[in-house]
Amino acid sequence: MNLGELARIARAMVVKNKGILAADESTSTIKKRFDSIKLDSTEEHRRSYREMLFSAPGAADYISGVILFDETLRQKAKDGTAFPDLLTRKGIIPGIKVDTGAKPLAGFKGETITEGLDGLRERLVEYYKLGARFAKWRAVIDIGDGIPSSFAIAANAHALARYAALCQENDIVPIVEPEVLMDGGHSIDRCEEVTSAVLQTVFDQLAAHRIYLEGMVLKPNMIIAGKKAANRAGPEQVAEATVRVLKRHVPPAVPGIAFLSGGQSSAEATLHLSLMNKNPLPWALTFSYGRALQDDALKAWAGQAANFSAGQKEMAKRAKLNSLATTGSYSSSMESQAA
Ligand code: 13P
């Protein structure tokens, strides 16, 4: 385990003005995204969509790292360059999703446990050889009637910490992602209560598993009301509650926090990040968005080769606006301006 290297990579992932592109949709998730543009999810369509995103002109100025799915880590650009090499040459760090998904937690109706620990050490050794320098594991916590249970929170936090330890053993920076979903009708206060409990348990487990905090990145949800809530909190309230919770539970030894977008609109996710970055903070606060970086690009591309550069423009535009949000310099009026 090379502590200096882990800390260097973690800092580079959250470096000023940059954030992470989450392009690690599993085969079943990318199929849902392609369904929305009526495109078959073939291996070649998945490959060319990812090539469009990764080679978007200008994007490297705003993107520090890209999270890949196993299939993508092994694919090549049209000119034969392996995707991890294409990214590395642009100064973008390749990362890899290593969990195998959230499965029903036996005995706990409506709750899940994320799987993927068996054989993980061996997979990490291979991923490192293929060029990955960081990894991601996503735990999923749903809010509903009587859930989450403290048992499900503890089980998921334990798995996250075991994953993080294996990553660091293999010189791979773990992105630790405990996602409290924004599905459902819960209030922002309920999201705050649950997220606080989750983050506290996660950092207790990370300490118990002897995780080197300087060599990891946290990927949390923002504190936000459920999508079906009658009372949607305003952007200032979201930013304020999120910063409050993070300050209470995330040690300043962690170099950076990179949010998921979780179903927020692209503009909402950018605005919330920018508002938070108007405060002095003990860690870098940036983005690790999937949908909030890709939605516009996916629509503009629509699976047509002729729209390749139109899709790239949309991707670069969102990356640039989110980059501005990392210094608190984004404003909603920029949405209508050209990329
Ligand atoms: P979203 O930003 O679309 O939530 O995706 C981020 C991610 O990587 C979820 O694991």
Side-chain angles (χ1 to χ4, degrees):
M1 183 157 78
N2 182 338
L3 298 185
E5 192 58 8
L6 286 170
R8 189 188 66 77
I9 292 164
R11 282 196 306 268
M13 289 162 67
V14 297
V15 71
K16 224 178 186 23
N17 299 310
K18 292 189 186 183
I20 297 165
L21 166 64
D24 60 324
E25 297 83 3
S26 63
T27 310
S28 62
T29 302
I30 197 75
K31 183 183 177 311
K32 282 188 225 152
R33 306 277 186 266
F34 283 1
D35 284 349
S36 75
I37 55 165
K38 299 194 168 49
L39 182 71
D40 286 342
S41 182
T42 63
E43 187 180 344
E44 174 51 23
H45 286 156
R46 295 192 291 270
R47 193 207 62 74
S48 69
Y49 175 61
R50 265 73 182 245
E51 177 165 0
M52 177 191 80
L53 297 176
F54 304 162
S55 57
D61 295 340
Y62 316 116
I63 301 291
S64 58
V66 175
I67 318 175
L68 305 166
F69 187 57
D70 182 281
E71 175 187 85
T72 322
L73 189 73
R74 303 168 196 279
Q75 284 175 325
K76 296 182 169 69
K78 256 210 155 70
D79 70 0
T81 313
F83 279 146
D85 294 341
L86 180 149
L87 293 169
T88 305
R89 279 178 210 162
K90 286 176 173 285
I92 298 174
I93 310 166
I96 178 77
K97 179 232 279 303
V98 301
D99 67 72
T100 55
K103 308 286 161 59
L105 179 62
F108 289 79
K109 199 163 182 292
E111 299 194 271
T112 60
I113 179 75
T114 299
E115 295 188 347
L117 288 170
D118 287 354
L120 181 56
R121 175 178 279 126
E122 292 72 24
R123 287 197 290 135
L124 288 167
V125 168
E126 190 197 5
Y127 288 146
Y128 189 95
K129 283 189 193 138
L130 288 168
R133 291 296 176 270
F134 69 92
K136 175 188 117 172
W137 177 290
R138 172 174 173 259
V140 182
I141 305 291
D142 203 358
I143 297 180
D145 249 3
I147 62 167
S149 64
S150 51
F151 180 85
I153 293 174
N156 275 290
H158 188 266
L160 269 170
R162 283 196 59 202
Y163 139 83
L166 284 163
C167 286
Q168 292 192 335
E169 179 196 82
N170 290 286
D171 295 329
I172 288 184
V173 171
I175 292 184
V176 172
E177 180 179 7
E179 175 172 8
V180 177
L181 296 176
M182 64 181 288
D183 301 344
H186 57 268
S187 66
I188 185 169
D189 292 346
R190 178 81 177 122
C191 177
E192 176 163 352
E193 178 186 42
V194 171
T195 306
S196 287
V198 168
L199 290 177
Q200 190 59 47
T201 311
V202 166
F203 279 96
D204 285 349
Q205 283 297 323
L206 292 174
H209 285 75
R210 303 180 175 173
I211 300 307
Y212 174 57
L213 296 181
E214 290 81 353
M216 65 161 276
V217 170
L218 178 71
K219 176 163 174 167
N221 53 284
M222 295 183 196
I223 305 301
I224 193 165
K227 276 182 225 161
K228 296 181 197 136
N231 263 335
R232 308 277 314 151
E236 283 81 11
Q237 202 187 342
V238 170
E240 197 187 320
T242 306
V243 168
R244 175 171 61 234
V245 167
L246 293 173
K247 279 190 176 163
R248 284 181 181 164
H249 301 287
V250 185
V254 173
I257 298 171
F259 292 102
L260 57 95
S261 59
Q264 300 178 47
S265 73
S266 302
E268 262 180 331
T270 311
L271 178 59
H272 290 148
L273 180 63
S274 192
L275 290 173
M276 284 185 244
N277 274 310
K278 289 185 189 294
N279 301 287
L281 300 163
W283 355 251
L285 271 198
T286 188
F287 56 92
S288 175
Y289 296 157
R291 285 162 286 180
L293 277 174
Q294 294 183 47
D295 280 355
D296 296 348
L298 180 69
K299 272 190 217 120
W301 174 61
Q304 307 289 322
N307 297 334
F308 203 78
S309 66
Q312 291 187 319
K313 252 180 120 168
E314 293 299 330
M315 153 69 199
K317 176 182 173 185
R318 287 258 53 96
K320 181 177 177 179
L321 293 175
N322 282 302
S323 162
L324 289 168
T326 66
T327 54
S329 359
Y330 161 88
S331 79
S332 302
S333 63
M334 295 172 182
E335 289 296 335
S336 48
Q337 294 161 19

